[in-house]
């Protein structure tokens, strides 16, 4: 650990700084490493919308349940989504009533499952940001090459750059996600700086996080918008050109609904027309719903940085990881699960 950086962070007494951790992994690591406990009162950490499961709207969960129960599709999904409550049910409840829900660790695994089970109609739940989207695109490409007719994606992939603009008044500085930046590179953050938005890309170790916070303090004191790549051992200026090209060849930008944030223009992705046969939305003529979250749940406000989990009236009482009411308590990257896991009760 760089002791000078640690002293800068611990000793900061300047004007208050609101720092939004955009990445759910940052939120959990900051808790796990005990970094919150050493911060002075003038540094406020806010958990933002960087958990893909948390920002996926409730309508999407309702549609996934419809695919499983009404269209009798086999749903392939990452584990977290199974327990996220929809308006009236969840994939977990649908499974207990006989729906076929398969947990996978990669979209490629879902494509391989569809190939091995031609008698089943397989739908992969594609959620995630720039880091995971290339693999979803690769699965679609593979399915086309394999001539699969029984494989499709329910797409809710999102991109982060427009979200920063939507959240610019919620924070003074963003702690940009290191994983996403490996794909995007640094140009999008340079462009945000030109629009007055400050941030640093940070890694995930204690040393990297403390260094990132020290850099934020030093640059914030100067009073000018800034961007610094504090994770250069992994994030390059240009990012992954091949990853971005793969996404651009299979998907295209679209306005997208975020839980709590509403519709953010051009912040989502959908399959291009050339891949319409793999679009579950079109294949099963899914209609936009009017999904409703539990009225007690404040996930939306938490994702905007407008409240903290312990300000939710059911946090730790009606809502726990065993019995989650909202997505932020389900996901391994959710703010409520981080607060709960690290015992802020
Ligand atoms: S504690 Fe539960 S109900 Fe409250 S905001 Fe978090 S997920 Fe929603």
């Amino acid at each position: 650990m760089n002791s000078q950086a640690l002293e800068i962070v611990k000793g900061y007494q300047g004007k208050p700084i609101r720092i939004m951790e955009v990445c759910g992994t940052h939120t959990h690591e900051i808790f796990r490493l005990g970094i919150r406990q050493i911060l002075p009162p003038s540094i406020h950490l806010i958990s933002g919308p960087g958990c893909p499961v948390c920002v996926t709207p409730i309508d999407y969960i309702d549609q996934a349940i419809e695919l499983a129960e009404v269209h009798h599709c086999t749903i392939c999904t990452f584990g977290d989504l199974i327990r996220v409550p929809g308006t009236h049910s969840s994939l977990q409840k649908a499974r207990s009533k006989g729906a076929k829900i398969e947990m996978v660790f990669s979209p490629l695994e879902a494509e391989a499952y569809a190939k091995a089970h031609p008698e089943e109609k397989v739908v992969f739940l594609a959620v995630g940001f720039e880091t995971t989207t290339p693999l979803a695109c690769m699965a679609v490409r593979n399915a086309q090459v394999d001539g699969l007719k029984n494989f499709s994606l329910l797409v809710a992939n999102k991109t982060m750059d427009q979200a920063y603009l939507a959240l610019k008044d919620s924070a003074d500085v963003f702690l940009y996600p290191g994983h996403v930046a490996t794909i995007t590179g640094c140009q999008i953050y340079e462009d945000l700086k030109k629009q007055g938005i400050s941030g640093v890309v940070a890694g995930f170790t204690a040393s990297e996080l403390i260094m990132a916070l020290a850099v934020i303090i030093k640059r914030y004191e100067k009073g000018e918008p800034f961007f610094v790549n504090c994770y250069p051992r992994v994030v390059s200026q240009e990012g992954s050109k091949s990853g971005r090209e793969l996404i651009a060849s299979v998907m295209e930008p679209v306005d997208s609904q975020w839980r709590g944030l509403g519709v953010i223009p051009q912040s989502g992705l959908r399959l291009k027309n050339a891949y319409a046969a793999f679009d579950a939305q079109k294949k099963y003529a899914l209609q936009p719903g009017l999904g409703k979250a539990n009225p007690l749940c404040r996930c939306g406000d938490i994702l905007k940085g407008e409240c903290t989990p312990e300000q939710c009236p059911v946090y730790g009482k009606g809502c726990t990881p065993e019995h989650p009411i909202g997505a932020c308590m389900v996901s391994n990257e959710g703010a409520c699960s981080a607060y709960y896991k690290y015992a802020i009760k």
Side-chain angles (χ1 to χ4, degrees), residues 34-96:
I35 290 175
R36 278 179 177 253
Q37 284 91 315
I38 63 160
L39 296 181
S42 42
I43 297 181
H44 302 282
L45 290 183
I46 304 166
S47 302
C51 158
V53 170
C54 303
V55 296
T56 298
I58 210 152
D59 285 2
Y60 181 89
I61 303 296
D62 292 343
Q63 289 187 338
I65 295 167
E66 179 185 334
L67 285 168
E69 292 187 333
V70 179
H71 300 280
H72 305 293
C73 297
T74 299
I75 303 295
C76 287
T77 177
F78 301 132
D80 282 354
L81 274 176
I82 293 176
R83 299 177 63 235
V84 175
T87 303
H88 302 295
S89 184
S90 68
L91 288 167
Q92 190 174 38
K93 287 182 185 159
R95 181 164 62 183
S96 70

Side-chain angles (χ1 to χ4, degrees), residues 85 259 294-302 307-321 323-330 335-337 340:
R259 191 190 290 252
N294 186 310
L296 295 172
C297 178
R298 298 196 64 189
C299 279
D301 293 333
I302 288 168
C307 81
T308 57
E310 74 268 43
Q311 290 171 318
C312 169
V314 289
Y315 169 80
K317 301 177 192 113
C319 184
T320 62
H323 300 287
I325 289 177
C328 298
M329 187 59 95
V330 175
C336 299
S337 78
Y340 194 86

Side-chain angles (χ1 to χ4, degrees), residues 21-28 47-54 80 129 132 179 303 327-338:
E21 324 122 18
V22 179
C23 169
T25 308
H26 274 152
T27 299
H28 276 252
S47 302
C51 158
V53 170
C54 303
D80 282 354
F129 299 114
T132 48
H179 296 142
L303 293 165
C328 298
M329 187 59 95
V330 175
S331 170
N332 279 333
E333 296 185 25
C336 299
S337 78

Side-chain angles (χ1 to χ4, degrees), residues 96-310:
S96 70
K97 288 192 277 176
K100 190 142 195 209
I101 317 289
E102 293 287 325
M103 204 176 93
V104 294
F105 294 97
S106 152
L108 301 179
E109 207 183 315
E111 196 267 345
Y113 180 93
K115 197 173 171 183
H117 298 82
E119 73 288 359
E120 296 182 27
K121 297 181 284 185
V122 177
V123 178
F124 174 69
L125 303 186
V127 302
F129 299 114
E130 288 88 340
T131 329
T132 48
T133 304
L135 281 181
C137 294
M138 199 178 285
V140 171
R141 282 243 190 117
N142 289 357
Q144 192 175 58
V145 170
D146 291 335
L148 296 191
K149 301 274 185 276
N150 67 329
F151 181 65
S152 56
L153 267 58
L154 186 61
V155 178
N157 295 82
K158 300 190 188 304
T159 51
M160 285 302 306
D161 47 345
Q162 297 302 316
Y164 299 126
L165 290 169
L167 286 163
K168 65 180 169 37
D169 296 328
S170 301
D172 300 310
V173 184
F174 288 104
L175 200 62
Y176 293 131
H179 296 142
V180 168
T182 60
I183 303 292
T184 62
C186 294
Q187 190 55 49
I188 68 163
Y189 307 116
E190 302 281 6
D191 293 343
L192 288 166
K193 184 180 86 170
K194 288 180 194 149
Q195 297 178 72
I197 295 174
S198 294
V200 306
V201 174
F204 298 89
T205 66
S207 182
E208 286 166 339
L209 284 163
I210 292 295
M211 179 57 77
L213 292 172
V215 168
I216 286 173
I217 288 168
K218 285 294 168 196
R219 296 299 296 263
Y220 187 70
E221 283 176 330
K222 292 186 177 170
E224 298 288 331
F226 61 88
F227 165 67
V228 181
N229 177 7
C230 295
Y231 197 27
R233 73 183 173 90
V234 173
V235 174
S236 66
Q237 181 64 26
E238 57 281 1
S240 169
K241 189 162 174 271
S242 59
R244 293 197 302 275
E245 284 174 353
L246 178 56
I247 295 173
S249 68
V250 176
M251 294 187 179
E252 61 191 6
V254 65
D255 296 351
S256 181
Q257 178 88 32
W258 295 55
R259 191 190 290 252
L261 306 181
V263 174
I264 302 180
Q266 301 295 286
S267 66
L269 293 163
R270 68 179 169 201
L271 291 170
K272 288 184 160 179
N273 269 340
Y275 297 98
F278 301 100
D279 186 337
Q281 200 101 38
K282 291 179 178 161
K283 196 168 176 174
Y284 299 101
L286 300 176
Q287 299 301 315
L290 295 169
K292 280 200 171 47
N294 186 310
L296 295 172
C297 178
R298 298 196 64 189
C299 279
D301 293 333
I302 288 168
L303 293 165
K304 286 182 284 190
E306 290 179 359
C307 81
T308 57
E310 74 268 43

